[in-house]
Amino acid sequence: QVQIQQWGAGVLKPSETLSLTCAVHGGSFSDFYWTWVRQPPGKGLEWIGEMHHSGHTKYNPSLKSRVTMSKDTSENQLSLELRSVTAADTAVYYCARVVEEMDDAFDIWGPGTTVLVSS
Amino acid sequence: QSVLTQPPSTSGSPGQRVTISCSGGDSDVRINVVTWYKQRPGTAPQLLIYSTNKRPSGVPDRFSGSKSGASASLSISALQSEDEADYFCAAWDANLMAPLFGGGTRLTVL
């Protein structure tokens, strides 16, 4: 049973850097792609980016200049960094597994980490 | 950020059938598969339909997906109270080179 644990700073000031981590327990980490998705309060979902087995990353063009994703395969962990945050970055941030055999559907999601950007 | 178009809300009574639409364009829904997610308040989304019309293990066959042109649909038959949730569609956008999500449809079971 694959489970995802997430953690990171919940309150940031404008211009600071958001830093989140998710850890995968109970399943293969290296055999899958992993993605980050966020959801502003009361709004829909927005894809942030994904990390491939090889370490190759793809980012949402609208966030690309501020985002870095990385992974630690030895710890089965994925990290997200988003620089120069503003109030518009306030959201619940989810880590999820991407399944290529399901046409890249996100089949397992973490519980989410709430991030508030406020001065 | 462009989004796929979904009705903000819909409702139905237990036992009824409801359909949720997802409208996109030539660079997303028309040419790529559609995925549907269900999200209950305060919880993470869960995969409901992938590859436009396939159900993951554990999803009842009351849920079905389809697509015609640049529009996709999620149908839920024999509506149950536990179906009350937000439903999101998603499709890869070939221009943006990113997956797009719909704005979400809140289903209320009356």
Side-chain angles (χ1 to χ4, degrees), chain A residues 11-78:
Chain A
V11 182
L12 296 169
K13 295 187 187 317
S15 82
E16 290 185 334
T17 295
L18 177 158
S19 182
L20 302 176
T21 300
C22 76
V24 178
H25 305 284
S28 173
F29 179 78
S30 303
D31 290 341
F32 293 92
Y33 294 6
W34 299 88
T35 191
W36 289 94
V37 175
R38 69 181 183 178
Q39 185 172 33
K43 295 189 178 179
L45 302 166
E46 181 182 28
W47 181 74
I48 299 170
E50 68 184 20
M51 167 75 76
H52 296 185
H53 325 113
S54 62
H56 175 67
T57 51
K58 276 191 211 177
Y59 300 133
N60 187 320
S62 68
L63 298 170
K64 187 175 181 178
S65 63
R66 298 192 292 131
V67 171
T68 300
M69 291 173 58
S70 60
K71 65 174 181 171
D72 182 340
T73 304
S74 65
E75 297 288 334
N76 284 7
Q77 291 181 2
L78 181 72

Side-chain angles (χ1 to χ4, degrees), chain B residues 34-103:
Chain B
V34 177
T35 308
W36 290 91
Y37 299 93
K38 172 184 177 181
Q39 184 181 35
R40 290 190 175 149
T43 68
Q46 58 184 106
L47 179 61
L48 196 62
I49 296 286
Y50 69 97
S51 301
T52 302
N53 55 15
K54 296 183 172 57
R55 289 184 310 277
S57 172
V59 173
D61 59 6
R62 300 186 297 105
F63 294 88
S64 63
S66 63
K67 187 176 79 166
S68 178
S71 290
S73 296
L74 171 71
S75 293
I76 310 171
S77 61
L79 206 57
Q80 300 178 5
S81 57
E82 58 259 40
D83 298 333
E84 188 160 286
D86 293 327
Y87 292 84
F88 295 91
C89 61
W92 182 264
D93 186 292
N95 287 338
L96 292 175
M97 294 300 287
L100 289 181
F101 288 92

Side-chain angles (χ1 to χ4, degrees), chain A residues 84-103:
Chain A
S84 304
V85 298
T86 70
D89 296 311
T90 293
V92 178
Y93 286 74
Y94 295 103
C95 171
R97 189 175 77 171
V98 184
V99 183
E100 292 178 85
E101 292 79 10
M102 290 182 165
D103 283 317

Side-chain angles (χ1 to χ4, degrees), chain B residues 8-23:
Chain B
S9 64
T10 191
S11 63
S13 299
Q16 285 188 332
R17 178 186 182 92
V18 297
T19 298
I20 297 171
S21 62
C22 170
S23 179

